[in-house]
Amino acid sequence: MTGILFRNVQVWDAHRPEPSESEVLVEAGLIRDVSDRPIRSESARVVDGRGGILMPGLIDCHVHVTLSDVNIRKLADIPLTMMTALAARNMRETLMRGFTTIRDCGGADRGLADTVERGLFEGPRIFVSGRTLTQTGGHGDFRTPTEGRDVCWPLSAMGPQSRVADGISAVRMAARDELRRGADHVKVMVSGGVASPTDPIDNVQYSLEELRAIVEEAEAWNTYVAAHSYTSRSTARAVECGVRTIEHGNLIDYATAELMAERGAYLVPTLVTYDIMDKYGRDLGLPDVNIEKNRVVKDAGIRAVEHCRAAGTRIGFGSDLLGDLRKHQSRSLVLQAEAQTPHEVLSSATSVNAEILNRTGTLGVVAPGAIADLLIVDGNPLRDLGLLEHQGRHLLAIMKDGAFAKFDLD
C-alpha cells in the first residue's frame, strides 16, 4: 500500500508540551504510525519536512461560508447560484490558511458539505447546522421594523441563513426539520446580536420551555445545540436548558463561566470578528446601528475567555468573519493568546474543537488512527502564532484526508 512517510519534522499536538522529533506514516487517508524511531515502509513516499513543525490541521468552530457580505441585508440581492460560487472560493481560501475542518454555524447545508466530501469543491470538511433557529425579532430575523411576515427570500442568499419559529410546537418542528435535512447540530439564537437590525444586545430570546424543547430534539438525534449568546443572563438560561456550546459569550461573568464548567458547556469565542469589523466595517457598508452594537462587545471578549479559563470551562476557537473580512481568520489565534497561552490556543483550535464536533481521537491530533489532516509550519507557532497568519504563507504543506492540498517542500 502506497503511503507518505514524513521525516525530519518536529511533531506537535495538544498532548505534547513541546514539539519533538518523530516520524509519521500516513496510509489510506489515516495516520498509521507516529514514532520517535525510524519507521520502515517499503512503498511509502518519503517527505523531508525540512525541520518544520508537523501539527494537526486547524479547526474553526464558528464560520459562515455562505455569508458573502458584511451587511447581511445585501444577501437578499445575491442569487443562490452566486452564493454557492462565492462559498466555493471562500472554502478553498480557508483550506489554504490551514483550516482542514470547519463548523458552519448558519447557512451551509448538507449538500455543500457533501460537495466538498465528493471532491467537487476544494475546501475543509464541513459540519453544518443548516438554518439557524430564531424567534420573531431575534438575531436571525433580518426583517426591518416596517416589513411584515410575508417577506421571503427563498431564491437568494438570505434564505438559507435562518428560520423564524415561535412556540414549543414550532421550534420542535424546526429542529426536527433541520436535522432531517442533514444538520450535524442545531444552532439557536438566545440573545441579541451585532449583525441584526432590531434586537438589543442584552435581550434574551426564546422561553425556557422552547429552549428545552430544542435541546430535547437535538439529544434525540444524538447531537447537541449551539447557542448564539452574549450576556451572562442569556448564557445561563441556555446552559441550564442543556445547550452545549456558547457562541461568542463576550459579556459573560465569572459566575456564569463557573456554571458552564459545572454543566460541561463549551465557550467558542470569536474575538477577531469584532476587532476587524471595528476597523473595516464602515468601509464595507456595515450600517451605523451595527457598528455601535459591535463596540458594546468588542473589548469584552478577552475578559470572557479569561473568566472561562479561570473557571475551568473548556474553550474552543472560532472566527465568525463575513464577506471580505474572512482573510483575517488566523488573526483570531493571535487575539485569543491575550487570554491563553499559545499552547492553549492551538489546543483550542485542534483537540478542543474536535471534542466539540464529537470527533475526539479522529480529528485535531497526530496519533495512529486519526484522519491525516496535517500541517507543516516553517517555524514554531508555539513561539509565534503569527506564523499562521498571512494566508498560509508559512505553511510548507497542507494535508487533508491524506492528500496534499499544498506542497512547498521540493
Side-chain angles (χ1 to χ4, degrees):
M1 179 182 295
T2 302
I4 296 173
L5 177 58
F6 292 99
R7 286 181 171 157
N8 190 20
V9 290
Q10 300 289 316
V11 175
W12 178 87
D13 66 13
H15 300 99
R16 300 170 183 244
E18 292 289 336
S20 58
E21 187 168 357
S22 300
E23 295 190 357
V24 178
L25 177 63
V26 171
E27 291 179 343
L30 300 176
I31 298 172
R32 293 298 182 191
D33 196 7
V34 181
S35 177
D36 58 4
R37 297 182 179 183
I39 296 173
R40 297 186 179 276
S41 175
E42 298 298 326
S43 59
R45 168 193 173 191
V46 176
V47 171
D48 184 340
R50 293 175 17 192
I53 303 296
L54 186 147
M55 61 175 285
L58 297 168
I59 303 172
D60 190 331
C61 262
H62 195 117
V63 304
H64 298 279
V65 298
T66 61
L67 293 180
S68 55
D69 202 290
V70 176
N71 184 351
I72 292 179
R73 288 282 301 182
K74 290 184 179 180
L75 298 177
D77 298 323
I78 299 176
L80 291 173
T81 45
M82 182 176 289
M83 177 197 78
T84 305
L86 292 170
R89 182 183 68 182
N90 167 37
M91 290 187 292
R92 172 170 170 73
E93 292 172 349
T94 297
L95 181 60
M96 291 300 102
R97 289 190 282 269
F99 290 90
T100 53
T101 299
I102 57 176
R103 182 181 66 153
D104 190 281
C105 284
D109 64 1
R110 174 53 46 198
L112 198 56
D114 289 347
T115 297
V116 174
E117 186 174 343
R118 293 174 59 183
L120 301 175
F121 287 166
E122 185 178 20
R125 73 178 51 74
I126 312 176
F127 293 81
V128 302
S129 63
R131 291 176 292 175
T132 299
L133 275 55
T134 181
Q135 69 175 41
T136 295
H139 178 52
D141 185 349
F142 294 103
R143 294 172 296 173
T144 66
T146 58
E147 291 175 328
R149 281 193 171 273
D150 57 343
V151 174
C152 184
W153 299 285
L155 300 179
S156 75
M158 187 78 82
Q161 309 308 325
S162 60
R163 61 190 297 170
V164 176
D166 296 306
I168 295 172
S169 296
V171 298
R172 282 192 186 278
M173 187 279 288
R176 289 172 180 174
D177 193 43
E178 292 306 317
L179 292 164
R180 174 192 69 84
R181 291 159 57 92
D184 294 295
H185 61 279
V186 177
K187 169 79 177 299
V188 61
M189 306 300 196
V190 303
S191 82
V194 171
S196 45
T198 62
D199 53 333
I201 289 284
D202 60 354
N203 77 347
V204 294
Q205 299 175 11
Y206 277 128
S207 68
L208 298 177
E209 293 77 14
E210 288 169 316
L211 287 175
R212 291 188 186 110
I214 295 167
V215 169
E216 184 178 325
E217 294 304 325
E219 289 178 347
W221 281 69
N222 299 310
T223 188
Y224 65 93
V225 175
H228 161 102
S229 180
Y230 279 112
T231 68
S232 292
R233 182 185 174 201
S234 61
T235 297
R237 293 171 82 251
V239 171
E240 288 169 351
C241 290
V243 166
R244 183 164 176 260
T245 71
I246 296 298
E247 312 299 310
H248 319 301
N250 295 48
L251 302 176
I252 64 174
D253 56 21
Y254 181 72
T256 306
E258 284 189 309
L259 174 65
M260 292 173 64
E262 177 188 328
R263 299 297 179 91
Y266 293 77
L267 174 70
V268 180
T270 57
L271 302 176
V272 71
T273 190
Y274 314 105
D275 181 70
I276 298 300
M277 277 200 295
D278 187 60
K279 292 177 180 176
Y280 305 112
R282 192 181 301 277
D283 293 339
L284 292 171
L286 192 66
D288 287 344
V289 62
N290 302 112
I291 290 173
E292 290 306 313
K293 290 206 284 184
N294 183 66
R295 287 174 179 161
V296 172
V297 300
K298 172 180 175 289
D299 295 326
I302 293 294
R303 290 194 297 274
V305 177
E306 290 173 341
H307 289 324
C308 286
R309 184 174 185 261
T313 306
R314 300 291 281 164
I315 302 168
F317 169 85
S319 60
D320 194 30
L321 291 163
L322 311 182
D324 292 337
L325 300 181
R326 293 191 183 104
K327 62 187 177 183
H328 302 285
Q329 181 180 23
S330 303
R331 177 68 181 165
S332 208
L333 296 164
V334 176
L335 292 174
Q336 200 159 317
E338 295 181 24
Q340 294 178 286
T341 68
H343 185 284
E344 290 169 340
V345 172
L346 292 177
S347 297
S348 292
T350 54
S351 63
V352 178
N353 275 357
E355 289 176 25
I356 289 172
L357 298 171
N358 293 320
R359 295 297 187 275
T360 299
T362 59
L363 294 176
V365 293
V366 183
I371 294 172
D373 289 358
L374 301 169
L375 311 178
I376 297 181
V377 187
D378 187 11
N380 188 348
L382 292 166
R383 301 287 178 265
D384 180 9
L385 285 169
L387 292 170
L388 298 174
E389 293 190 86
H390 313 296
Q391 314 309 309
R393 181 190 307 166
H394 299 286
L395 299 181
L396 299 174
I398 301 170
M399 172 177 278
K400 179 190 163 215
D401 285 322
F404 286 110
K406 177 181 179 180
F407 188 82
D408 286 346
L409 285 165
D410 290 331

